[in-house]
Structure formats: structure tokens, C-alpha cells
Amino acid sequence: MEDVGILIEKWREIYKAEVKSKKKLREEVKLTPENYFNIVRPFFTKISPEDREYVRTFRMILYGMLKYSPSLRTLILRGAGYNLACRLVETGEIKSIDDLPKVFLNQKIGLLDIIEESFSRMKVNIYECISCYQAPPIGRTLCDFEAGLIQGVMEDLVGKNITREIYCWGLGNSFCGFEVIFE
């Protein structure tokens, strides 16, 4: 199996190339069950052959919420991620920011990569994200759960922050990119 560190370096090169080019990568389309549910995440499928079913079930819930109420979906998923983060810190599964990539990997959420960190801000990428990997560009971000999880962990470990998703498959990128700004 491919080493996670090597894989993240490959993904980081894709990230750098896309950010540098600043051009629209794919045209927007309508999100449908056919282009959202049936995906294969290469790394996670290697370590867990049932990953496709796991992702499909998760995305069926996300899709239903998006169809029903996009704004309510955002609130619920961000809150769920935030609450999970608080629980993970409380139980000691996350003791430092360095534990976050391991938790994302073990929970099959995605491959988390801390791109940049300072006292006032962080940049975090997720590759093979459960919420959006290979999703078509629909003109909006899709990773509210992951944003809530990142925000909650950072708040518990560092302090109040604003976490926002800047890059996403839903915007036409090939990765998810979050900016965390500490207040």
C-alpha cells in the first residue's frame, strides 16, 4: 500500500497547480444521484474495499438534505462536525492539532493536510473527502461537516475561529481547502 505521506505530497502538487492556474477547471452541472453517489476513493478503497458503500450511504443523506433545504443542511452538518470535534477532544482522541490527520484517516473522512499555520491563521486541505471527492462542480461548497469538525477542534485546542471552505470539488477543484482565521 502506498505511504500516506507520499500520497499527500502528490495531492499537494495538484493543489499547488490548481491554485496557481486560477482558471475554472470544469463547467457547472446539476447534482444528481448518478454523478454524486457512485464514486471510488482510490486510497480508502485500498484500505477498505467497502468504502464505496460507506460513501454512498453518507452522500445519500447529504443529497437529501441539499434537495430539501441547503441552508438547513449547512447548519446541521456544520453543527454535527463541531459537536463531534468537541467529543473527540473531550475523550482525548484529539490532544493536539497533530492528531487531526489521524482522526480524519481513521474515520475515513479524508486525507487531511495542514498546508500552512501561524498564530493567526491556518490553511488545511482534505483530499479524497467523503463529502465531495469526484462530485461535479455545482457552484457551491459541499463540506460543511468537515468545516465544522475543523472549526470545533481548532476552537477547543487553540481558540475562537472562523473556518471557511475556499476550494471544493463542488466549485470545480480537485481537493477541499479550508482557511481557519483565529479571532
Side-chain angles (χ1 to χ4, degrees):
M1 184 183 325
E2 194 169 14
D3 181 355
V4 174
I6 294 169
L7 185 58
I8 286 179
E9 285 301 319
K10 288 178 184 178
W11 275 110
R12 198 178 278 185
E13 291 304 315
I14 292 168
Y15 149 74
K16 287 177 185 175
E18 284 186 22
V19 170
K20 187 177 181 181
S21 76
K22 295 183 182 180
K23 66 179 182 178
K24 192 169 186 174
L25 303 171
R26 297 174 280 143
E27 291 300 314
E28 287 182 23
V29 298
K30 183 179 178 182
L31 190 66
T32 66
E34 295 77 23
N35 65 16
Y36 187 53
F37 295 166
N38 298 311
I39 62 100
V40 175
R41 299 187 300 167
F43 175 79
F44 289 100
T45 300
K46 283 181 187 172
I47 63 170
S48 182
E50 70 281 355
D51 185 65
R52 185 176 186 161
E53 289 76 25
Y54 177 73
V55 171
R56 186 178 322 138
T57 301
F58 184 75
R59 287 190 179 186
M60 283 179 186
I61 296 165
L62 302 184
Y63 182 79
M65 293 171 79
L66 190 59
K67 288 300 212 181
Y68 177 71
S69 174
S71 58
L72 189 57
R73 173 194 183 275
T74 297
L75 289 172
I76 292 170
L77 291 173
R78 202 169 246 275
Y82 184 91
N83 290 335
L84 175 60
C86 294
R87 178 80 179 139
L88 291 169
V89 172
E90 180 183 302
T91 61
E93 290 177 69
I94 296 180
K95 294 179 180 104
S96 75
I97 294 171
D98 294 336
D99 295 330
L100 198 54
K102 289 181 270 186
V103 167
F104 267 67
L105 179 65
N106 292 340
Q107 297 298 317
K108 299 181 180 100
I109 298 167
L111 300 168
L112 187 127
D113 183 18
I114 298 171
I115 298 294
E116 193 178 296
E117 54 184 320
S118 70
F119 290 111
S120 60
R121 81 176 10 174
M122 287 182 76
K123 289 185 180 180
V124 177
N125 285 351
I126 303 173
Y127 314 116
E128 293 193 29
C129 175
I130 191 169
S131 293
C132 75
Y133 179 72
Q134 289 187 338
I138 60 167
R140 64 162 289 161
T141 60
L142 294 166
C143 307
D144 300 305
F145 175 75
E146 294 82 354
L149 185 53
I150 293 166
Q151 182 177 3
V153 167
M154 296 305 167
E155 187 170 307
D156 278 357
L157 296 178
V158 180
K160 291 271 188 201
N161 67 84
I162 297 169
T163 299
R164 66 185 183 108
E165 188 174 14
I166 301 168
Y167 303 104
C168 182
W169 280 83
L171 294 174
N173 302 104
S174 300
F175 62 95
C176 307
F178 300 85
E179 181 177 58
V180 181
I181 300 170
F182 297 100
E183 299 177 338

